[in-house]
Structures are given as C-alpha cells and as structure tokens.
Amino acid sequence: MFVLVNLKAYPCDPVAVAKAAHDVAEESGVRIAIAPQAADIAAVADTGVETWAQHVSPNDYGSHTGSTLAERAAAAGAEGTLLNHSENRMKLADIDASVGAAERAGLETCVCANNPEQIGAVAALGPDSVAVEPPELIGGDVSVASADPDIVTDAVAAAEAVDDAVDVYCGAGISTGDDLTAADDLGASGVLLASGVAKADDPKAALEDLVAPLR
C-alpha cells in the first residue's frame, strides 16, 4: 500500500512532517510520500522522503505567469504530482495536458475524481494512478472505505475496465490503520490523506498508527 500525505495549505511544519514520514517509511518499509506547497518542495525533498507536487499546470515553458511548471517541480525534488484534487478542479482537457506535462518531466501522476464514473474518464487519460475522493467526506472523521465501500470497489472496477495498469487509491477521511486495511480489502493499492497527519499533534505517531497493520 502506498501512503500519500497531502499537506494542502495547512499551517503545519512541512519539514517536520517530512522527517517524520521519512523515519516511519524507513522503519516500516511502507512507501510514504509527502505533497507540500510548491514553495516547500525542495525543503521537503531534502529530508529524503518521497516528495510530490500538489499540482502541475497544463503548459510547457513560456508566458505562463502563476503556473507550476512540471519541469521545475521535478528539478526541486518532486517525484510525482496530484492532479484535479477536489479543491483544485480542472477541465478534462487540462487534466490530459497536465498528465502529459508530468510525464514529460518524469513525474508520476495521480488524478483525483469524485466518483467511479469520473474515475473511468480520467483513467482513460493514462495516469499512473487515480484516487477516488467523495468531496463531502474530505477532511472528515469518516473514511470513504467505511462510509461507502461500494464507491471504492466500483472505482477499482471502472479503472480496470479502462486500463488495468492504473492503480486506484482511496481518499477522503483516511486517518487510521483500520481505514488503510479497509481500503486494501476493497481493492485499493494506496491511500490519499491530509488532515489525519498534517493536523496531528504528533505526525509521526499518526503515521505509525496508520501503517501498523502493514508491519
């Protein structure tokens, strides 16, 4: 199982969270990545933890003020990128262009979607992975794997019907080892979470609890 922690724009110390994630990944053998704000990618990558961008823009070099260029994210140390998060929605054509930009820069891609139907549509664009995240559960205390397990199994089936090489991650409300186990049982190959770690008083303890079933 892959654990991808999105720090969003939360007022946490990204380097401290990254160091905690690096230590837990080393101790447990679980693949854990951190997705900080673009300005913090280099500092987070310097900790040695796998680092992802929260977004890359659907453009190449040029007159694109305010964009997050995939090549610069990669140069700063990013190894992958989220796209189309519920809090940063994109048009389908722009998702396609951003997937292409990420691939051009050698970044792994995970495209988020609200439901199984959207999962099928974005899986057709050829990302490395997709993440199903019902918006109403994002930031809550109940995981999608518990609240509506059919969404996860249907998302897995939708992605497989299009391209069985695309991994499916489970997001929204993930915070405990039980949530991770439930996602695994439903066919997901990873989880995407944010507040459960970024807002935790002790991020390392939160991550240790999360990956405990995998030890």
Side-chain angles (χ1 to χ4, degrees), residues 116-127:
E117 292 73 20
Q118 291 183 14
I119 287 290
V122 297
L125 302 177

Side-chain angles (χ1 to χ4, degrees), residues 27-76:
E27 293 164 5
S28 66
V30 177
R31 182 187 174 199
I32 302 173
I34 300 294
Q37 289 278 297
D40 296 318
I41 288 175
V44 166
D46 282 346
T47 69
V49 76
E50 182 176 338
T51 304
W52 282 46
Q54 293 182 7
H55 168 83
V56 296
S57 302
N59 56 263
D60 202 336
Y61 289 97
S63 303
H64 305 289
T65 300
S67 68
T68 300
L69 190 65
E71 283 83 356
R72 297 313 304 157

